[in-house]
Each structure stands twice: as structure tokens, then as C-alpha cells.
Amino acid sequence: MSIDEVIIVENLYKSFPIGGKKTMIINGLSFKLYKYKSLIIKGPSGSGKTTILKLLLGLLEPDAGAVRVLGKDPFREPVRVRQLVGYLPQNPLLIPQLTIWENQLFYLEGRNHKTGKAISYARRIAESLGIEYLLEQYPTSLSSGELKRAELMLALSDKPPLLLLDEPTAMIDSRNVQRVINILTEAKQWAAMVITTHDPRLDVIADKIVELG
């Protein structure tokens, strides 16, 4: 693995029991992702887009094949890999008892990045995403699109070398989709990223697009 290879996936397989039988969702997938490059994964619901992100994070174990993320096996070293990855899940994981900003500070503290620089950058992301006025609100008072942008703020805030983003523009209106595109374009200066999406507007930031069946 060279220093420029952020992800290596080789001949990856993953199945799930569906309807009483084993169904192969990921079937022999291979790809590499390099520093400061972005891979967009498209495909219909159930084609395995979210599964790929979970395999990269070590949340799922592959049936066969090899995965290396920043030189590590995410299933055997999941904590270390997750400390180096900014992850935007499909469903928000914000703590409802904390305000958005309290969630942000808790996130940075958990990743040992609660520094003035990271806090300042998080506030700038909030402004860029148009959610600075929501920081003192609680997650339950936000719309789905607002929650998505708040989660994206967390994922970007400590400038991790890899971003795994699951449907980052889902439920976001057109004006704010452009905000997301702008901040992700900027993030390519310091991160590689894998993005799952149905949204063709994100194609402008793709270095490579993979279509799943």
C-alpha cells in the first residue's frame, strides 16, 4: 500500500439472509481510492451502497475479500479506523438531550480534537452550510435536511483524511444542496471521500463514479 492509497478494496463479497435464503449484495467489488480524490457510488435502494460504507468502517465483516483503510483492516482495528474517518450516516446519530453545538463539542472531545482550531473550523462550516442559527437548538426541533447538514458539520469538523458520506444531500433543498457541494469541494483539499448518492448534482465533485446493479 503506497502512502497515496487511502482505501484498497479487493474482491469483496457480502451477503445477507433475505427471505430465508442467502443473498449476495456485494459481489466481487474491487477499487482503490487515493488522497484528495472522491468516489461516488450510485445504485438503486438495496444495491449495497450503505453496506460498502459499513464494511469500510468495520461495522460489518465481509464474507470474503480484503479491505484496507488508511493502511488498516477496519474489522480488526475498528476504533483506530473510525478515529481517522468522518462518517455521515444515513440516519442522524445526534444526541437528542444536547444542543447541536453541544453535540459538536462532544464529538470533538471524543475524537481528542477539541482544540480552538477545530472549534473555529466547525463554526465556519456551520456558516457555510447555513446552520449557524441552529446551533443552540436541539435535534428534535430541526427538519430532516437541517439534521443532515448538522451531521455533516460534525463529520468535517476535525478535517479527517477520509470522509464516508451516506446520501449527504438527501432531504436538502436545492439552495442548500449547493452549500453542501461547495463545502465538499473545499474538503477535497485535505480529504479523500466516498459518497453514496442518488443525486446527479454531486457528480461535479466526483473523480470516479461506480454504478451498482
Side-chain angles (χ1 to χ4, degrees):
M1 185 170 191
S2 78
I3 59 172
D4 289 330
E5 292 171 337
V6 179
I7 295 174
I8 298 176
V9 171
E10 296 178 331
N11 211 25
L12 193 64
Y13 290 82
K14 180 61 183 176
S15 63
F16 294 97
I18 299 175
K21 65 178 183 178
K22 183 176 178 180
T23 300
M24 194 64 67
I25 302 298
I26 306 298
N27 195 350
L29 179 68
S30 296
F31 69 87
K32 291 183 179 181
L33 181 67
Y34 297 88
K35 280 184 177 180
Y36 318 128
K37 299 298 183 181
S38 59
L39 169 67
I40 287 184
I41 300 175
K42 296 184 175 185
S45 296
S47 60
K49 299 188 301 297
T50 297
T51 297
I52 292 171
L53 298 188
K54 289 183 175 180
L55 288 164
L56 293 174
L57 275 174
L59 296 171
L60 294 173
E61 184 177 12
D63 295 359
V67 180
R68 290 291 179 273
V69 175
L70 297 162
K72 298 169 176 55
D73 182 327
F75 192 73
R76 290 177 172 78
E77 300 180 80
V79 175
R80 183 60 182 146
V81 168
R82 290 169 204 168
Q83 285 286 323
L84 296 171
V85 173
Y87 178 46
L88 177 70
Q90 202 166 51
N91 299 309
L93 295 176
L94 293 170
I95 300 168
Q97 294 83 8
L98 301 180
T99 66
I100 299 304
W101 189 244
E102 287 169 343
N103 268 280
Q104 174 65 81
L105 296 179
F106 183 74
Y107 177 84
L108 289 173
E109 186 169 357
R111 290 165 68 88
N112 298 315
H113 284 139
K114 194 178 177 182
T115 64
K117 186 175 181 180
I119 290 170
S120 176
Y121 187 59
R123 286 198 177 276
R124 191 169 82 74
I125 296 170
E127 292 174 5
S128 297
L129 292 174
I131 57 170
E132 68 277 11
Y133 67 99
L134 298 171
L135 296 180
E136 300 309 317
Q137 295 190 34
Y138 290 88
T140 52
S141 67
L142 272 60
S143 70
S144 297
E146 290 167 342
L147 283 171
K148 181 69 78 170
R149 285 181 283 152
E151 292 262 359
L152 183 58
M153 175 182 67
L154 268 63
L156 294 170
S157 59
D158 62 345
K159 292 188 175 182
L162 175 62
L163 296 168
L164 302 179
L165 310 176
D166 203 349
E167 299 283 358
T169 58
M171 300 168 289
I172 296 179
D173 61 84
S174 295
R175 180 170 63 91
N176 287 310
V177 165
Q178 189 57 52
R179 293 179 187 269
V180 171
I181 291 171
N182 292 343
I183 199 71
L184 293 182
T185 300
E186 177 186 305
K188 288 181 69 176
Q189 298 174 35
W190 45 262
M193 59 187 79
V194 179
I195 302 170
T196 70
T197 188
H198 293 94
D199 191 343
R201 291 170 293 184
L202 287 171
D203 290 359
V204 297
I205 63 172
D207 293 293
K208 184 177 182 180
I209 297 174
V210 170
E211 296 271 359
L212 301 179

